[in-house]
Amino acid sequence: MGIKCFLMTLGKTTVEPVMTPMMNYVPEEEGDWWGTCMARWVQLKRHALGFSDFSYYFMMLPLVFSYSSSSVSRNTEGLQGFWRMLSYGTTLLIRLVNVHVLIGVLSTYGAMEAMLKLIIKLCFRGDRLPDLLFLQVGVFPKYLMIVTIFFTILVSAVFFVTYEVLLKKRVEGHAQYSLCVHWLKNLIGLALGSPVYFVMLGYAIWRAALMVLTQRSFEYHVAPKPKQAEPTQSSLAGGHDPKMA
């Protein structure tokens, strides 16, 4: 919707955040671990279909140009507004590329690199020194990974400290774990689940790209999320509102 408004107003539309005291639940199937994983997969496939924004943006450009250059657009800025919108639209394309293209390419590249290394080790003779090849070409990715891990840990630590000070008591109530144990638990979970997550993320993005090429419409599925408990007769009689608990 933001891209539609941006194109229809020749780039004059802006998006402003509205800070509201609300919390968005993650996809979850109550009482079922595998169901929760599949709910996250359903949401991931739906988000990946945002790849179609590329085709919509480039499909609308000739129509917007035709309108801007016609006599109907006398009350608008005409071609000047179109070229301004086109220059501002570059930032939208960069965001779309960062969200959809780069993540999909990096995930696919990592999986293909691992497969290529395995094939080389199995098929090449030892005197061809495949380990030396891996060492020479892996210097930059290694340092890039070190920097990524460092800043990931730094950002997560800042987030947990901020969350602990500002939001935790209002959102969760009493903590079940200490801050360090909670942080370490999430770190281990990310280390174990990230490879699978990014491979499936790359697959979902490539799937969305192929669907954009081969289909004209998509079927969107909404992942299940936790439902709020229904008020009981005793809580209503006592004047207790479960929404305010």
Side-chain angles (χ1 to χ4, degrees), residues 72-94:
V72 182
S73 60
R74 293 177 180 177
N75 296 329
T76 63
E77 298 180 1
L79 288 177
Q80 181 181 359
F82 173 80
W83 293 117
R84 185 192 64 242
M85 180 211 68
L86 192 63
S87 62
Y88 291 168
T90 306
T91 59
L92 292 178
L93 293 178
I94 292 174

Side-chain angles (χ1 to χ4, degrees), residues 2 16 59 81 98 101 106 108 124 145 160 173 182 190 202 211 214:
E16 297 292 338
M59 178 187 68
N98 290 337
V101 179
L106 289 176
T108 309
F124 279 27
M145 181 61 67
F160 272 107
H182 190 195
L190 288 174
M211 290 178 65
T214 58

Side-chain angles (χ1 to χ4, degrees), residues 115-134:
M115 293 178 58
L116 180 61
K117 286 183 178 181
L118 179 61
I119 293 174
I120 290 177
K121 284 189 175 182
L122 293 177
C123 300
F124 279 27
R125 298 193 308 269
D127 56 356
R128 301 188 66 176
L129 304 177
D131 293 331
L132 180 61
L133 173 65
F134 299 151

Side-chain angles (χ1 to χ4, degrees), residues 16 64 144 195 218 239:
E16 297 292 338
V64 176
L144 184 62
F218 309 119

Side-chain angles (χ1 to χ4, degrees), residues 209-222:
L210 292 176
M211 290 178 65
V212 170
L213 290 175
T214 58
Q215 299 183 18
R216 294 186 177 182
S217 61
F218 309 119
E219 184 177 356
Y220 293 90
H221 298 279
V222 180

Side-chain angles (χ1 to χ4, degrees), residues 3-4 6-7 52-64 82 85-93 96:
I3 295 179
K4 292 179 182 179
F6 178 83
L7 292 172
S52 60
D53 291 339
F54 280 105
S55 60
Y56 176 80
Y57 181 85
F58 288 108
M59 178 187 68
M60 290 298 297
L61 284 182
L63 301 178
V64 176
F82 173 80
M85 180 211 68
L86 192 63
S87 62
Y88 291 168
T90 306
T91 59
L92 292 178
L93 293 178
L96 291 174

